[in-house]
Amino acid sequence: MSMHAAAPQPLLSIIVPAWNVQNYIVACLESVLGQMGPRHELIVIDDGSRDATLARVRTLLEACPQLACTVLAQDNQGIAVARNQGLAAARGEYIVFVDSDDRLLAGSLAALEQAIDAHHPDVIACDFRVWLPDQEDKSHRVGLRYPHALLRDQATILNTFFADRQMYVWAKVFKRAVYEQLEAPVFPPGRVFEDVSTLPRLLSQCASLLYLPHPIIDYRQHPASITKLISEKWCLDLAGALLVAREHLERRGVDASVKTHFDIAAGYFFIGVVKDSYELPRASGRRVRAAIKAVFMESLFGDCASMLAAVRAAQTVSVDREHDARMIRQVERALAGSFVFRVRQTASRKIKVWRRLRRNQKAAAVF
């Protein structure tokens, strides 16, 4: 449903998928609406909310008749489907995603406009802020490692992305035409890690990237996110997302350095999921580790030895080469089924679960 009359083609389409966020949606949309002008449109997709989210969205947007705003309502199908719906409705030259519990930081739309007018890149990579509303002193900016210049080298674009490993679609502002180059649906429905499979594919289509050292999003950290529910599906979805990205990069014919950087990033995600899997019941954990090992091996372009050699020869973009080397050695041990590795992870996860429970008990006591 369109709230207001159609305007000329906007430069920026801001897409906000929303589901049961009545406590956050007003602050989110106010952070967007306060920056909007004639070159912008806002599209909100309500994903079957059962609370007051949709009513609050409509009330807020009806108070802004001068702005181009659209509300779409669908049955609950997940954030991937909501994002795809937003893309289908968007008319802007560039796409800005904002999650409904986050905030668009001040000056972001103006900074994006200025960057586009000056350079017109295929994608703009932005910093963001990790936001802890209840512990503001711990909120902090996350900066990317791209050079401060318009990049036209695809290997540099992809290698820096894999070294940073910031897999958030809202931190990258792509031309809508780049999204249209991918087969629909762009975001795989029903997957937890839809960004991990989608961002490498989008970036591989880009001939130019501009790094904008402006924090664009306040990325809200929820207390609940500290106690994320580890499940078999959660683990398997990440492994599957890596394989989708790998297959696309292969088809694009990326060079050897990109393959090495992809493998290292995949190693980080793999070892993280392996460690998390030790929170599952023993039988489930074993089943998951066997499944993700097979998918991970299929996702790699090379092997651990080639990754380690590239890191030690300083042939990679890296935040910390020694840390990269330690991770690769952990991957080797996990793949080999090392008894010592299994014992350490079992003990480590038990300690982490115990600490998490203690934190939750303390938080509950405060309230």
Side-chain angles (χ1 to χ4, degrees), residues 193-205:
F193 294 97
E194 70 279 354
D195 287 1
V196 174
S197 65
T198 301
L199 274 169
R201 292 184 293 137
L202 288 168
L203 284 169
S204 74
Q205 306 290 135

Side-chain angles (χ1 to χ4, degrees), residues 168-233:
Y168 305 113
V169 72
W170 39 255
K172 303 284 189 298
V173 177
F174 291 91
K175 280 184 176 178
R176 182 161 55 93
V178 174
Y179 281 100
E180 290 173 347
Q181 291 171 21
L182 297 187
E183 291 183 12
V186 172
F187 294 97
R191 292 261 183 96
V192 179
F193 294 97
E194 70 279 354
D195 287 1
V196 174
S197 65
T198 301
L199 274 169
R201 292 184 293 137
L202 288 168
L203 284 169
S204 74
Q205 306 290 135
C206 293
S208 59
L209 176 147
L210 181 72
Y211 170 45
L212 181 63
H214 173 96
I216 187 174
I217 291 288
D218 253 347
Y219 177 30
R220 184 190 295 266
Q221 304 299 292
H222 295 276
S225 66
I226 298 171
T227 58
K228 64 185 177 186
L229 179 63
I230 306 299
S231 66
E232 289 191 47
K233 175 176 169 48

Side-chain angles (χ1 to χ4, degrees), residues 59-357:
T59 298
L60 198 59
L61 300 192
E62 283 168 357
C64 304
Q66 77 282 10
L67 301 177
C69 302
T70 300
V71 181
L72 303 174
Q74 64 181 35
D75 293 337
N76 180 241
Q77 299 173 71
I79 189 170
V81 174
R83 283 177 173 169
N84 291 330
Q85 290 279 67
L87 282 174
R91 298 180 302 116
E93 187 177 359
Y94 287 81
I95 302 295
V96 181
F97 278 105
V98 181
D99 284 355
S100 54
D101 53 350
D102 295 339
R103 298 186 304 195
L104 187 71
L105 286 165
S108 293
L109 297 188
L112 289 169
E113 278 190 70
Q114 187 176 10
I116 292 166
D117 290 342
H119 301 283
H120 223 73
D122 286 345
V123 60
I124 303 170
C126 305
D127 293 346
F128 60 93
R129 207 173 74 107
V130 172
W131 176 36
L132 291 86
D134 300 324
Q135 298 174 289
E136 272 291 356
D137 58 317
K138 293 186 178 180
S139 297
H140 59 277
R141 177 171 174 168
V142 176
L144 305 182
R145 289 168 180 82
Y146 284 106
H148 289 229
L150 183 67
L151 297 179
R152 296 190 181 277
D153 177 62
Q154 189 183 72
T156 303
I157 290 171
L158 286 167
N159 292 348
T160 308
F161 168 71
F162 288 129
D164 279 335
R165 297 187 301 283
Q166 301 297 345
M167 301 279 179
Y168 305 113
V169 72
W170 39 255
K172 303 284 189 298
V173 177
F174 291 91
K175 280 184 176 178
R176 182 161 55 93
V178 174
Y179 281 100
E180 290 173 347
Q181 291 171 21
L182 297 187
E183 291 183 12
V186 172
F187 294 97
R191 292 261 183 96
V192 179
F193 294 97
E194 70 279 354
D195 287 1
V196 174
S197 65
T198 301
L199 274 169
R201 292 184 293 137
L202 288 168
L203 284 169
S204 74
Q205 306 290 135
C206 293
S208 59
L209 176 147
L210 181 72
Y211 170 45
L212 181 63
H214 173 96
I216 187 174
I217 291 288
D218 253 347
Y219 177 30
R220 184 190 295 266
Q221 304 299 292
H222 295 276
S225 66
I226 298 171
T227 58
K228 64 185 177 186
L229 179 63
I230 306 299
S231 66
E232 289 191 47
K233 175 176 169 48
W234 187 91
C235 296
L236 293 170
D237 272 3
L238 178 54
L242 290 172
L243 187 55
V244 169
R246 188 251 194 240
E247 290 172 345
H248 185 85
L249 293 175
E250 181 74 72
R251 289 194 299 272
R252 292 290 294 168
V254 296
D255 70 26
S257 72
V258 174
K259 293 177 180 179
T260 298
H261 284 80
F262 173 84
D263 284 355
I264 292 170
Y268 271 104
F269 289 120
F270 169 73
I271 202 65
V273 173
V274 167
K275 290 177 179 180
D276 284 338
S277 74
Y278 281 89
E279 293 188 25
L280 295 170
R282 183 173 296 179
S284 297
R286 286 177 178 168
R287 185 164 57 246
V288 161
R289 286 189 288 278
I292 62 175
K293 174 182 174 180
V295 177
F296 174 67
M297 295 297 289
E298 189 180 352
S299 299
L300 292 180
F301 287 102
D303 54 27
C304 290
S306 59
M307 280 189 262
L308 202 53
V311 168
R312 286 175 171 165
Q315 295 171 345
T316 58
V317 179
S318 178
V319 179
D320 184 338
R321 293 190 193 285
E322 186 51 43
H323 190 267
D324 291 348
R326 285 197 302 272
M327 176 278 296
I328 294 166
R329 289 192 291 270
Q330 282 193 322
V331 169
E332 287 180 318
R333 289 193 287 271
L335 293 175
S338 163
F339 174 75
V340 173
F341 178 84
R342 293 201 307 270
V343 169
R344 284 179 176 172
Q345 294 312 313
T346 301
S348 173
R349 289 294 134 170
K350 285 183 177 179
I351 292 169
K352 286 185 178 180
V353 169
W354 176 79
R355 286 176 176 168
R356 196 181 292 158
L357 289 171

